[in-house]
Amino acid sequence: MAERLALFATAARGTEDLLAEELKELGAKRIRQDRGGVRFMAALDEALNVCLWSRIAMRVLYPLGEFEAPGAQGLYDAVASVPWEEHLTTNVTFAVDANLKDTEHAHSGFVALKVKDAIVDRLRTKLGSRPDVDTRNPDVSVVAHLVKEKLSLSLDLVGDPLHRRGYRVRPTPAPLKENLAAALLRAAGYTGQEALVDPMCGSGTIVIEGGLIARRRAPGIGRSFAVERWPHMGPRARELLADLRADARRNERKVEVPILGFDKSEEALEAADRNVKAAKLGEEVQLAEGDATKLGPLPEGGGLILTNPPYGDRLGSGGQKGMKTFYFKLGDSLRALPGWKVWVLSGNPAFESAFHARPAIRRDVWNGPIPCTLLGYRAPAGLSKPVLGAPGESLEVAPVRPEHEDK
C-alpha cells in the first residue's frame, strides 16, 4: 500500500465543510475540519489529484511538525531541529512565508529571516553548503505559522495559491477570489447541469467558475505545482501529474446549459470578456450589458442566480440609505423571475431586511477580511417565485452578523 501523507488544505473561513466534502470526493482519507482548513491523509497520487482538482482549497500543506518556540533563540532552535536535508538539497532554491498571531515578534519578516537562517545553517553543517533563496519563484516554499509561542512548519505543495487559476488577466475593484466563488457555487448546489446567471458579474469570476464546473475542467489544468520541483518527490510527482492531466483533459464535457453574466459597467464587461477568453470559455459563457434592478426575461426552465452585490463602496453617493434602496429594487427584480433559485453573498448587514425576503439557507463566510453572509432563497413547492415574501413588502429581518469579529 502506498504511503499516505498527513496534509492540511487551507480555505476561506466558513467554507471548511465544503472543502471537506470536496476532499472526500477526490479520494482523501481521515478528513477532519479545522479552523481555516481541513486536515486529511492522502497517498502522493491522491494529493496531486487534490492539487489539480480542488476548486475550494487555497493551499495544500505538508506539515513537518509543531514546536514550542519561545523568543528568537527558541524559534531558531526549533527550526534547526528539523531534518531539512530530507527535503532540500544545495541545488534547489527556497523561500520562507511567515505569518504571526499574538506573538512577541512585531514583524513577520523577522520570523522569516530567523527560519531561513536556521535552515541554511543546518544544511551547511549537514551538506557542506547551502541552497539559495528565491522569493519570487522558489522550488520549495516553507510555511511558518507562529501563534504565541507555538510554531508550525510546513512545505507548500502548490506554490502559487490555488485560487490563481491563470485566467484573471483583467481584475476589477474588490474582485471575488476564484476559490471562494467555487465554494459559493457548491454551497448553492450547482453541478453544471442547470442554467447559471450572475446579474452583477464584475470581472466574471462566478460565471467563469461555473463554466469550469459545467465543462468538467480541472481548475489546475493550466498550471504547474511546486511539488514537481522538490528534489526527492519531484520526479515521481511529475510522472503522476502527466497521467492525471491527460485523464482530466479526456474527461471534459460539452456545456449544455446557458451561463450568463450581466453588468451595467462597460469597464467590468470588458474585463469579464478578457477573463472569459483567458479561461477558454468563450463559447460557454455569454456576457451582456444589464441592470440587475431591471433584469429582463431569462432562459425558460429556471436555474441558479448567484451574485455578489456591492457592499457599499462601489455605488457612489447615497450612503446606507442609497444601499437599502438598491437592495430593495434588486429584490423586486429577482422576485419577478419565476423558477430561479437566488443566492446572494452579502457583506452589508442591511441587505437582508432591505431585500425584503426571508432566506431559506444562511451561511457565514469571509470574503478576505470582510465578514459576509451567503443567503439562499428557494421557491417553496407549488410556487413559481424564487424568493419568499410579497412583492413590495419589506420584511423586518434581523441583520446577520458573523460569529467571529476578528480578521
Side-chain angles (χ1 to χ4, degrees):
M1 181 179 293
E3 177 188 1
R4 293 193 180 276
L5 307 174
L7 302 172
F8 180 70
T10 67
R13 282 175 55 191
T15 68
E16 295 93 341
D17 61 320
L18 300 171
L19 175 57
E21 293 173 3
E22 181 185 63
L23 290 174
K24 184 177 180 181
E25 294 172 3
L26 293 174
K29 309 297 181 185
R30 294 175 61 183
I31 297 166
R32 179 167 60 87
Q33 293 180 47
D34 206 340
R35 181 183 174 89
V38 178
R39 299 187 183 278
F40 65 102
M41 301 288 292
L44 180 57
D45 60 334
E46 295 165 338
L48 295 172
N49 199 49
V50 168
C51 293
L52 183 65
W53 278 100
S54 179
R55 304 182 190 278
I56 301 174
M58 182 78 74
R59 295 182 182 274
V60 180
L61 303 178
Y62 177 31
L64 300 178
E66 295 186 349
F67 312 86
E68 292 298 325
Q73 188 61 46
L75 179 64
Y76 178 95
D77 293 341
V79 178
S81 70
V82 175
W84 295 103
E85 62 275 11
E86 296 178 3
H87 308 288
L88 296 165
T89 68
T90 58
N91 297 321
V92 301
T93 60
F94 80 102
V96 178
D97 178 18
N99 50 82
L100 321 178
K101 183 177 181 181
D102 300 330
T103 76
E104 60 186 288
H105 307 292
H107 302 289
S108 61
F110 170 79
V111 172
L113 181 61
K114 295 299 288 185
V115 172
K116 184 268 294 181
D117 288 345
I119 293 173
V120 298
D121 288 350
R122 174 165 179 131
L123 290 175
R124 189 182 288 114
T125 299
K126 295 289 185 178
L127 305 178
S129 61
R130 50 156 289 182
D132 291 330
V133 172
D134 182 350
T135 57
R136 290 182 176 271
N137 188 31
D139 297 318
V140 180
S141 296
V142 178
V143 178
H145 183 59
L146 186 63
V147 179
K148 296 183 179 178
E149 295 183 347
K150 184 173 288 293
L151 174 68
S152 300
L153 293 171
S154 305
L155 301 182
D156 185 353
L157 274 74
V158 300
D160 275 344
L162 289 174
H163 78 270
R164 295 178 184 170
R165 319 277 205 231
Y167 63 71
R168 182 169 281 168
V169 294
R170 275 286 299 274
T172 55
L176 194 67
K177 276 191 171 61
E178 297 89 328
N179 65 315
L180 179 56
L184 302 181
L185 286 161
R186 174 174 275 267
Y190 185 72
T191 63
Q193 297 181 328
E194 64 178 333
L196 172 65
V197 172
D198 182 353
M200 290 169 281
C201 69
S203 60
T205 307
I206 288 175
V207 289
I208 292 174
E209 289 298 314
L212 294 176
I213 293 171
R215 193 79 170 85
R216 200 185 284 155
R217 179 177 296 159
I221 195 68
R223 57 165 292 168
S224 62
F225 302 103
V227 66
E228 297 180 74
R229 304 198 300 274
W230 288 10
H232 304 302
M233 205 177 289
R236 180 59 177 156
R238 290 192 295 272
E239 181 182 335
L240 290 169
L241 275 167
D243 291 338
L244 290 171
R245 289 177 176 126
D247 286 342
R249 291 188 177 96
R250 281 194 296 268
N251 290 321
E252 288 192 15
R253 65 186 177 187
K254 184 179 179 181
V255 176
E256 304 286 354
V257 295
I259 300 175
L260 310 175
F262 300 94
D263 206 288
K264 63 188 300 184
S265 165
E266 184 177 337
E267 181 180 357
L269 285 174
E270 181 182 345
D273 181 64
R274 290 190 59 182
N275 294 338
V276 166
K277 290 176 179 175
K280 299 179 181 179
L281 292 171
E283 296 183 2
E284 291 82 2
V285 176
Q286 284 76 50
L287 304 170
E289 183 178 355
D291 185 340
T293 63
K294 302 174 184 176
L295 208 57
L298 295 179
E300 293 184 1
L304 171 66
I305 294 173
L306 174 62
T307 195
N308 177 34
Y311 303 161
D313 298 332
R314 290 179 283 152
L315 284 179
S317 60
Q320 192 71 349
K321 184 177 180 180
M323 290 302 305
K324 290 181 178 179
T325 300
F326 170 73
Y327 294 151
F328 187 89
K329 291 180 179 179
L330 182 64
D332 275 350
S333 173
L334 299 185
R335 176 179 285 106
L337 301 170
W340 289 82
K341 298 174 293 184
V342 177
W343 287 70
V344 179
L345 180 66
S346 169
N348 188 326
F351 175 87
E352 191 173 347
S353 59
F355 194 70
H356 58 96
R358 290 191 181 277
I361 298 175
R362 179 185 288 115
R363 171 188 288 271
D364 293 336
V365 298
W366 288 73
N367 182 5
I370 304 172
C372 299
T373 309
L374 178 63
L375 304 166
Y377 302 89
R378 293 178 177 173
L383 297 181
S384 61
K385 292 180 180 178
V387 291
L388 309 180
E393 177 186 357
S394 180
L395 300 180
E396 291 298 324
V397 181
V400 179
R401 300 187 185 280
E403 296 179 3
H404 310 288
E405 295 294 340
D406 61 294
K407 294 183 182 180

